[in-house]
Amino acid sequence: MAPVPGTGLAKGLAVTLRTMTRRSVTEQYPDAQPDLPPRTRGVIGLFEENCTVCMLCARECPDWCIYIDSHKETIPAATPGGRERSRNVLDRFAIDFSLCMYCGICIEVCPFDALFWSPEFEYAETDIRDLTHERDKLREWMWTVPAPPALDPAAEEPKEIAAARKTAEKLAAQQEAESTADPDGKPGSGTGTASASTPHADEQARAAEGPTRAAGDSKQQTDQPRQEGRE
């Protein structure tokens, strides 16, 4: 059966009419700022206090758009007879964003967390030379870096937190055991507030009384056989 003339035109007009009746979802930028995710790759911020001038970011950058200059300073010995040490001092840290391809390799390889992603993207310039941000400008971008997102509820607990939690639980169990024990070392009712609040004072008192009682007991044990022998 031959197609009816004008069927394609009718289908196209139907799509147009259906689209015209829908609400527009276009955001009127810059009047309406976009809601960016926290891990948006906008611009790179520098936290220079953490930078040790290890040059890993500049070496791993595939575009060679990171420029770092530094010098060495000698630190005097902390103790008499000690050895002097030298450290690198950062003089210049610049990123040419006209060459940067926002791969994030520099941020990943930084071993001291000196580079961070900021979601800010409004830094267009009329002169391409102004796209080279020096360390003062990179430091200003640090104030726009958002807080890290929370861990996934199903994620594995960090080892540092797990070790600290186990240590705290062990200390709490030891303190509870000491607070519920009477001076003779036998478990008590646990209702006394003085023993629970001052476990260290009870330990010192027991330590002070321990040698006296031990000496008295040993004297009674040694005197008793002699008396039996005399009888």
Side-chain angles (χ1 to χ4, degrees):
M1 182 177 179
V4 179
T7 304
L9 179 60
K11 291 181 179 179
L13 291 175
V15 174
T16 302
L17 292 174
R18 186 168 58 252
T19 306
M20 290 175 60
T21 57
R22 294 178 182 175
R23 184 178 179 180
S24 177
V25 294
T26 303
E27 295 183 355
Q28 300 299 327
Y29 175 83
D31 297 334
Q33 292 293 329
D35 186 12
L36 301 174
R39 299 180 68 179
T40 300
R41 298 186 178 187
V43 70
I44 298 174
L46 170 67
F47 190 62
E48 58 181 284
E49 283 78 3
N50 289 352
C51 181
T52 60
V53 200
C54 64
M55 303 294 291
L56 279 177
C57 55
R59 293 171 184 170
E60 297 296 332
C61 178
D63 291 335
W64 292 88
C65 63
I66 301 178
Y67 311 107
I68 300 176
D69 293 332
S70 64
H71 69 277
K72 288 189 176 182
E73 288 184 356
T74 302
I75 303 176
T79 58
R83 182 171 60 89
E84 295 182 348
R85 299 181 179 273
S86 62
R87 66 173 182 178
N88 293 325
V89 179
L90 184 66
D91 292 331
R92 185 194 182 197
F93 195 107
I95 300 178
D96 188 357
F97 285 99
S98 64
L99 298 176
C100 179
M101 64 179 185
Y102 304 92
C103 62
I105 293 178
C106 57
I107 298 177
E108 296 294 334
V109 300
C110 182
F112 300 103
D113 292 335
L115 298 175
F116 298 87
W117 277 118
S118 169
E120 297 294 329
F121 61 93
E122 298 176 327
Y123 52 92
E125 300 290 348
T126 57
D127 191 349
I128 193 173
R129 291 173 293 184
D130 295 335
L131 287 175
T132 301
H133 294 181
E134 299 293 336
R135 67 174 184 175
D136 296 336
K137 184 66 175 179
L138 297 176
R139 180 58 183 266
E140 293 179 3
W141 292 122
M142 274 300 303
W143 307 116
T144 62
V145 175
L151 295 177
D152 189 274
E156 183 181 357
E157 186 180 21
K159 297 181 179 180
E160 295 83 359
I161 298 179
R165 179 176 51 80
K166 291 180 180 179
T167 303
E169 292 177 354
K170 185 177 180 180
L171 292 176
Q174 292 178 355
Q175 293 179 358
E176 184 178 359
E178 293 176 357
S179 62
T180 56
D182 59 5
D184 296 334
K186 298 180 181 180
S189 59
T191 57
T193 57
S195 61
S197 60
T198 58
H200 298 288
D202 295 341
E203 292 179 1
Q204 295 177 358
R206 279 181 286 178
E209 295 176 2
T212 305
R213 292 180 179 179
D217 295 342
S218 61
K219 183 177 180 180
Q220 293 178 1
Q221 292 176 0
T222 52
D223 293 341
Q224 187 175 0
R226 293 179 181 178
Q227 294 176 359
E228 292 179 354
R230 292 177 181 175
E231 291 176 357

